[in-house]
Amino acid sequence: VFFFFDYCWINTFFIAFTKFLILAFFLNYLIFIKDSISLTKTHILNELPWLLSLAVYFIFILLSSYDLFVSYLAIEGLSFTLYILASISNNNFISKEAAFKYLSIGSISSGFLLIALTWIYSVIGNLNFVFFQYHLINSNGLLEIQLKVALVLIVFAFLFKLAAFPCYFWIADVYSGILTPITFFFSTIIKLGLALFMLRFLYTICFNLNEIWSKIILISAFGSILIGALGALFQSEIKRFIAYASINQIGFFLLSLVSKSIFGVKAALLYLVVYIIMNFLFFGIILNGFNIITGRNILYFSDLNSLVDFAPFSGVILVLTLFSMAGIPPLAGFFTKTYIFCSFVNYYCWNYHFVAILLLTIISAFYYINIIRQIFFETSKIWSIFFLVSNSYNYFLFMFWINIILFWLFFFNDISYIFELLALNCVSPLLISNLIV
């Protein structure tokens, strides 16, 4: 572990690996959206790569930050970049409305974070994670109550950013209003970066107050899985469906944090990576599909009717991706959800919590399988036939990611060992910062 700038900046194997992971996903993302952006006939071709790169830069700063003020600056820089990305299609009224909603909700979450930072600084006189952790360990009485309230505000600020229950109400309108490539970016790269930082913050800095944040996370996880499962059932528009599915998936990620163990961290990391891969495959099909007559993208699930009849390769990829999202064995999504269930059961044992989550998982599987029914059995009308673009780059990436989902089982032990090392390294600064103090 290396500390820089008076312990405001940290570099570990976990942080270096997650940065590499985000960079790899970002390069894949740029290849996936290239054809889609070139056909949108907008003015955004020049500035879009710079804005996307700036957002990734702020994520890198956030992941390496070891000071609440640096983290706040990184989050605010990322937020302002995302506001611009959300409104980048300025000739679209719906996009403007979505950007305004995103700005309003983002201001609320930033306000929570700023209040928490002000409170912490007034109490301990420093925002560095090392001093913050020291006071968490040695605090008592009124000081402990003040730090607990500040921690609750920070957790709620991250729940806003991740669109988890009860702070999810903005995501469907925003995802539906902004451009599809930007929705792709928000639901993958941004979610991954924020989730990784939240994981490190809770387990490295605030583990001593786990009895406070674990209760909030547990309620948020249950609510997110419930809202995501029920909300996605009644969606006909793909981007609104993605929004509710994202809430559901974030709920499973939060559920893995409740176990408060190394096994839970490992389950969270595995789930995040597989979740991003599945979303890449899903968006790869959606973004590269165009209506032959109107020239528009795939917007509704009715556009996917009988997809396997006129695009068998894309149809098979989409079906395998949806099966993995639903958690059907032996695909990768099944093993990651099993890890989460195991981490949860090891901590809470068999009780009504587990039964409720299992029922919600079955509901989630239903709406994924319903899409598969449309792909295979619904009849497509002539005006809704789509042409799926297949250049060599996308074909290679599709095959690469789909092989990971299909052959996850054969390399599971090696991959599991890597993520176990990541989980151990994620919490190691907890011990090191104690020695420094």
Side-chain angles (χ1 to χ4, degrees):
V1 178
F2 298 96
F3 290 93
F4 304 96
F5 307 115
D6 197 21
Y7 305 120
C8 292
W9 187 275
I10 187 174
N11 190 29
T12 64
F13 168 68
F14 172 79
I15 293 174
F17 186 89
T18 53
K19 285 182 178 179
F20 171 78
L21 200 64
I22 289 175
L23 184 61
F25 280 130
F26 179 60
L27 295 176
N28 279 261
Y29 165 80
L30 292 178
I31 296 173
F32 272 133
I33 69 168
K34 187 172 85 64
D35 292 326
S36 177
I37 290 295
S38 63
L39 293 176
T40 54
K41 299 179 181 179
T42 63
H43 66 291
I44 65 175
L45 286 176
N46 293 328
E47 60 265 30
L48 183 62
W50 297 102
L51 289 171
L52 295 172
S53 300
L54 186 62
V56 173
Y57 171 73
F58 282 120
I59 290 176
F60 281 4
I61 295 177
L62 180 64
L63 290 175
S64 291
S65 62
Y66 211 68
D67 184 275
L68 283 170
F69 183 67
V70 176
S71 303
Y72 176 76
L73 291 179
I75 291 172
E76 285 305 291
L78 176 62
S79 298
F80 281 118
T81 307
L82 298 181
Y83 301 151
I84 298 171
L85 286 170
S87 61
I88 199 166
S89 181
N90 61 4
N91 58 345
N92 189 338
F93 176 78
I94 299 178
S95 179
K96 289 181 181 179
E97 181 184 359
F100 182 75
K101 288 179 181 178
Y102 189 48
L103 173 62
S104 303
I105 298 301
S107 302
I108 296 174
S109 62
S110 298
F112 280 172
L113 194 58
L114 189 59
I115 292 172
L117 264 61
T118 305
W119 204 329
I120 292 171
Y121 187 80
S122 66
V123 171
I124 66 177
N126 201 307
L127 293 176
N128 193 278
F129 284 171
V130 174
F131 292 93
F132 182 50
Q133 184 189 352
Y134 173 78
H135 283 85
L136 286 178
I137 295 172
N138 298 284
S139 63
N140 51 56
L142 181 61
L143 176 62
E144 184 178 3
I145 295 174
Q146 291 173 323
L147 292 177
K148 286 180 179 179
V149 173
L151 176 61
V152 169
L153 291 174
I154 293 174
V155 170
F156 268 96
F158 275 101
L159 293 181
F160 266 105
K161 298 295 184 183
L162 292 172
F165 178 86
C167 313
Y168 66 91
F169 45 84
W170 58 271
I171 188 172
D173 292 334
V174 172
Y175 277 21
S176 178
I178 61 181
L179 293 175
T180 305
I182 307 302
T183 305
F184 184 13
F185 186 68
F186 279 30
S187 64
T188 53
I189 309 296
I190 301 302
K191 282 283 179 73
L192 177 62
L194 292 173
L196 287 171
F197 178 76
M198 183 179 182
L199 172 66
R200 182 170 69 87
F201 178 76
L202 292 178
Y203 270 82
T204 305
I205 312 303
C206 304
F207 192 79
N208 301 94
L209 291 180
N210 60 66
E211 74 280 359
I212 301 296
W213 60 258
S214 63
K215 295 177 181 177
I216 300 174
I217 295 298
L218 179 61
I219 295 172
S220 180
F222 269 99
S224 299
I225 295 172
L226 176 64
I227 295 297
L230 297 180
L233 282 174
F234 308 103
Q235 302 303 319
S236 59
E237 185 184 347
I238 290 179
K239 287 197 287 185
R240 294 187 73 88
F241 168 83
I242 290 169
Y244 283 103
S246 176
I247 297 172
N248 183 269
Q249 291 161 342
I250 284 296
F252 281 105
F253 163 73
L254 295 176
L255 195 66
S256 63
L257 303 184
V258 177
S259 64
K260 296 176 287 189
S261 63
I262 298 296
F263 190 75
V265 178
K266 178 182 175 181
L269 293 172
L270 281 168
Y271 186 78
L272 279 175
V273 172
V274 174
Y275 155 67
I276 297 299
I277 292 173
M278 292 186 297
N279 276 269
F280 262 75
L281 289 168
F282 185 85
F283 272 102
I285 300 297
I286 302 303
L287 283 173
N288 288 283
F290 301 94
N291 190 291
I292 296 174
I293 299 174
T294 64
R296 67 172 176 83
N297 286 98
I298 296 175
L299 299 177
Y300 302 96
F301 285 117
S302 58
D303 297 330
L304 297 174
N305 291 350
S306 300
L307 178 65
V308 292
D309 292 337
F310 53 86
F313 174 73
S314 300
V316 169
I317 288 179
L318 189 55
V319 166
L320 289 172
T321 302
L322 292 170
F323 272 132
S324 184
M325 286 180 169
I328 305 298
L331 301 176
F334 168 76
F335 290 102
T336 53
K337 285 188 177 180
T338 302
Y339 253 75
I340 290 175
F341 289 152
C342 289
S343 67
F344 186 79
V345 169
N346 285 341
Y347 185 78
Y348 280 94
C349 300
W350 291 84
N351 56 16
Y352 66 91
H353 292 99
F354 181 77
V355 176
I357 295 169
L358 198 59
L359 291 175
L360 292 174
T361 305
I362 294 172
I363 296 174
S364 304
F366 171 78
Y367 58 71
Y368 288 121
I369 295 174
N370 186 50
I371 303 173
I372 297 172
R373 177 189 61 81
Q374 289 186 269
I375 294 172
F376 275 99
F377 302 111
E378 290 291 335
T379 304
S380 177
K381 298 179 181 179
I382 187 65
W383 52 266
S384 65
I385 292 180
F386 279 74
F387 169 70
L388 276 294
V389 177
S390 58
N391 59 47
S392 58
Y393 299 108
N394 286 353
Y395 180 82
F396 172 77
L397 290 175
F398 277 142
M399 294 305 297
F400 177 75
W401 294 125
I402 204 66
N403 278 316
I404 290 180
I405 287 181
L406 286 174
F407 300 109
W408 178 275
L409 181 62
F410 296 99
F411 306 102
F412 187 73
N413 289 333
D414 296 332
I415 295 174
S416 178
Y417 177 71
I418 293 173
F419 279 90
E420 189 171 341
L421 291 178
L422 284 173
L424 288 169
N425 191 263
C426 177
V427 301
S428 61
L430 175 69
L431 303 175
I432 294 171
S433 55
N434 282 339
L435 294 176
I436 293 174
V437 174

